[in-house]
Amino acid sequence: GVMFALSAGLTVALQYGLVRWLERRLSSAQVLVAGVALMSLAVGAIAAVHDFAGLLVCVAAFSIGALMTRPTQQTLIAGLADPRALGTFLGVSSLSLAVGGGIGNVAGGWLIDVAAAGQWPWLPWLVFCAIGLLSAAGLHRATRARAPRPAPS
């Protein structure tokens, strides 16, 4: 319960203000990439954590990364979509997140089993981190030509 409360509290307290602040300084694509990278590094850091307080720091960092990605992902999709097909674009995006989440849960569970059998408790966290960082790099590459930096205010 504490981890969920921490995540929810950070989301309520920071999401609107932090994302607006970041988007005044960075493009939506850059905020999305930074959020995915932060989430990835937070998951990877779990491999080095040995107490509950350290786990809470990782949860907080992951939550901040997640709150950066949620609205910016939808903003980018809306910008790519034909206005007549916006609902379809957002629906396909949600479906892909659901399918990817399902595959990730199954593969992640398998990886945790492998790590437990081999006594490598760090393995899943570092693999998750590597996949996330590769995803951030792919997002950066895919969006850098599409998302100009905002004009200075």
Side-chain angles (χ1 to χ4, degrees), residues 26-148:
L26 305 168
S27 70
S28 291
Q30 290 169 320
V31 175
L32 178 64
V33 169
V36 171
L38 179 58
M39 291 168 62
S40 304
L41 293 171
V43 167
I46 293 172
V49 167
H50 299 290
D51 61 9
F52 189 63
L55 180 62
L56 289 178
V57 170
C58 293
V59 168
F62 183 91
S63 298
I64 291 168
L67 69 88
M68 291 166 62
T69 64
R70 284 184 209 120
T72 54
Q73 176 251 352
Q74 293 174 351
T75 299
L76 286 170
I77 290 169
L80 294 172
D82 178 329
R84 297 170 296 179
L86 180 58
T88 301
F89 272 70
L90 292 171
V92 169
S93 169
S94 294
L95 179 61
S96 67
L97 288 171
V99 170
I103 292 168
N105 284 332
V106 170
W110 172 81
L111 189 59
I112 288 172
D113 289 343
V114 168
Q119 296 184 3
W120 305 308
W122 47 265
L123 178 68
W125 309 112
L126 296 184
V127 170
F128 300 154
C129 178
I131 291 169
L133 290 174
L134 286 171
S135 297
L139 282 168
H140 172 69
R141 185 178 176 123
T143 60
R144 71 178 161 196
R146 291 189 175 269

